[in-house]
Amino acid sequence: TKEEMMPEWPSPVGMLIRGPDKFAKQGGVYHAARSTEGRSREHEGIDILTIPRSPIQAPFTASVIRTADPYDDKHDAELLGILIRHMGDPRIQMKILYCKPVAGIIGKTITKGTIIAHAQTLQHLYPGIQDHVHVEVSISGMRVDPTPFFFDLTQPPLMATT
């Protein structure tokens, strides 16, 4: 139903989707065109801007499954990620890449808002890129566009008034 699709997760880093840069002409949106070593593909997640070393919070109560490797070919062993499974709906998994998981968190059950990792920089691999975390969501093993699940990715946050 439409009510089930209401965005309910906060951005894990509190920032917006990455805009265009020299590495991604369409920015960090889902299914943006990507090219690697002459091969074209579609971006399978979203890129959320971040500041290196900033905390990444769990957007929902989850079990922390494992670390994730952004690059299967091991060309950059420093870059890491984390895979979490939604406790309220175990069909939902989220992978967050370009972050260093908090020590001892693998295998734990954590609540929404818990710091699960810290953002890493991509400057050593892609000089001049906008630092970001890459977020993928899958439901029953099928990747889906993560954007509709978040309520704060595409518009600036409201400013607090005093």
Side-chain angles (χ1 to χ4, degrees):
T1 66
K2 192 169 185 116
E3 289 174 354
E4 291 172 351
M5 284 305 294
M6 290 299 293
E8 60 182 60
W9 302 339
S11 164
V13 290
M15 296 180 80
L16 305 180
I17 291 180
R18 169 182 166 211
D21 63 24
K22 70 179 182 177
F23 297 98
K25 290 185 172 111
Q26 296 174 318
V29 297
Y30 187 69
H31 276 182
R34 290 290 190 268
S35 178
T36 309
E37 297 169 2
R39 295 182 319 223
S40 294
R41 61 183 172 81
E42 288 184 332
H43 192 225
E44 296 183 340
I46 57 174
D47 294 340
I48 304 172
L49 294 170
T50 191
I51 298 165
R53 294 179 298 285
S54 62
I56 296 171
Q57 296 180 335
F60 46 77
T61 297
S63 58
V64 182
I65 306 301
R66 61 176 170 82
T67 58
D69 183 357
Y71 299 106
D72 292 331
D73 63 5
K74 302 287 185 200
H75 79 273
D76 191 325
E78 291 178 28
L79 293 175
L80 300 170
I82 193 165
L83 179 68
I84 61 176
R85 179 176 295 132
H86 199 292
M87 290 301 292
D89 186 344
R91 299 173 306 151
I92 300 172
Q93 290 192 146
M94 177 181 287
K95 187 185 292 183
I96 304 172
L97 301 176
Y98 313 133
C99 63
K100 184 176 181 181
V102 169
I105 201 151
I106 305 304
K108 304 278 191 223
T109 298
I110 45 91
T111 56
K112 179 178 182 174
T114 299
I115 295 172
I116 57 174
H118 290 89
Q120 295 177 296
T121 185
L122 297 166
Q123 297 304 313
H124 63 288
L125 200 55
Y126 306 106
I129 198 168
Q130 298 174 74
D131 279 313
H132 63 275
V133 292
H134 173 85
V135 177
E136 295 177 4
V137 171
S138 60
I139 300 176
S140 300
M142 300 286 295
R143 276 206 195 108
V144 298
D145 181 357
T147 314
F149 294 99
F150 294 96
F151 59 76
D152 59 353
L153 290 180
T154 56
Q155 59 188 16
L158 296 173
M159 297 302 291
T161 56
T162 54

